[in-house]
Amino acid sequence: MTTSPSATVPAELLETVRTKHRALWASGDYPAVVANAVAGLGPVLVEACRLRPGETVLDVGAGSGNAAIPAALAGADVVASDLTPELLEVGRQLAADQGAQLRWEQADAHALPYPDGAFDVVMSCIGVMFAPFHQLAADELLRVTRHGGRVGVLSWTPDGFIGELFATLRPYAPPPPPGAQPPPLWGDESHVRDLFGDRVRHLHAETRTLTVDRFASGAELRDFFKAAYGPMIATYRNVGDDAERTRQLDEELAALGDRYLRGSDGGSTMEWEYLLVTAERR
């Protein structure tokens, strides 16, 4: 039995978080981040979930369909859910361009509008990790998965590049809501095991890396993310007109990117670490 959202997090706080997160992920151009850096992750998660044609699948925090579209193309009956309607609209167009048929529905990972056990597979590709109340979101993932169904979650790790990126942003970013947990904790196997508890079996966790070859320097990466990535846009807005803090943040982000870059003679690559978790719902 799942604790209701209102019993765990005050309703007014949930609504405040929804409003802020919708605006955050609508800012910039997150589909460009997907296209330029992380497009390969969706098919990885779909393969790990061992989807079969005709299975009902819910993608939580689907964004513009990085995992949902490949799942639909594999023959699954897919619902792509996300808090941000602007991302869903991009996903609809991308799906149409690829001939994928699926449903796109606005939904909050903290309070999914689906019945208990409604889906054979529930998955999330670097999506649910950004719902700040981790236990509540994990409870919802499991609640809507049928008994014997499968859950698959792919998240950035705390010690990988994106984890370090968020650690770099933290001193400059707006304060998180009360009770929030950092997104990269979803990339810690022990944390995910605690979130799921004894409600799953056959949990398998594997740390992998994504090779990114889009950026030639840390400064180029920083400037791309400053223009396109919601969490970074919000952080720079929080710094505001403080020229010295802006300069410090610029330098720290460029240095972080340079540290992760590899390659020479005009070619540079980065390895971004993530955790892939699959489990069966008891």
Side-chain angles (χ1 to χ4, degrees), residues 254-265:
L256 174 65
D258 285 336
R259 181 156 57 85
Y260 271 85
L261 278 165
R262 300 290 183 267
S264 60
D265 300 325

Side-chain angles (χ1 to χ4, degrees), residues 42-47 49-59 65-80 98 100-102 104 121 123:
V44 167
L45 180 58
V46 169
E47 181 180 5
C49 288
R50 309 186 314 280
L51 300 187
R52 296 184 287 270
E55 286 190 310
T56 55
V57 176
L58 175 66
D59 186 4
N66 187 24
I69 292 173
L73 292 173
D77 179 7
V78 180
V79 175
Q98 297 179 52
Q101 296 187 353
L102 62 158
W104 301 85
V121 178
M123 63 182 186

Side-chain angles (χ1 to χ4, degrees), residues 239-253:
V239 173
D241 296 328
D242 190 326
E244 177 59 21
R245 281 174 61 77
T246 298
R247 182 192 64 78
Q248 290 175 347
L249 181 54
D250 277 345
E251 290 181 354
E252 290 179 29
L253 290 171

Side-chain angles (χ1 to χ4, degrees), residues 8-118:
T8 306
V9 180
E12 60 274 18
L13 178 56
L14 278 177
E15 187 54 41
T16 297
V17 167
R18 288 186 192 109
T19 301
K20 288 183 176 179
H21 276 232
R22 284 189 197 113
L24 183 149
W25 291 106
S27 65
D29 187 357
Y30 184 68
V33 176
V34 175
N36 282 275
V38 302
L41 294 179
V44 167
L45 180 58
V46 169
E47 181 180 5
C49 288
R50 309 186 314 280
L51 300 187
R52 296 184 287 270
E55 286 190 310
T56 55
V57 176
L58 175 66
D59 186 4
V60 178
S64 54
N66 187 24
I69 292 173
L73 292 173
D77 179 7
V78 180
V79 175
S81 69
D82 197 275
L83 191 62
T84 307
E86 291 85 348
L87 298 182
L88 296 175
E89 190 56 40
V90 174
R92 287 188 185 95
Q93 186 58 56
L94 292 172
D97 292 344
Q98 297 179 52
Q101 296 187 353
L102 62 158
R103 287 177 286 158
W104 301 85
E105 298 179 354
Q106 187 174 358
D108 180 2
H110 295 125
L112 295 170
Y114 307 109
D116 295 359

Side-chain angles (χ1 to χ4, degrees), residues 50 71 103 109 146 154 178 203 209 239 279:
R50 309 186 314 280
R103 287 177 286 158
R146 69 168 175 81
L154 189 155
L203 188 149
T209 59
V239 173

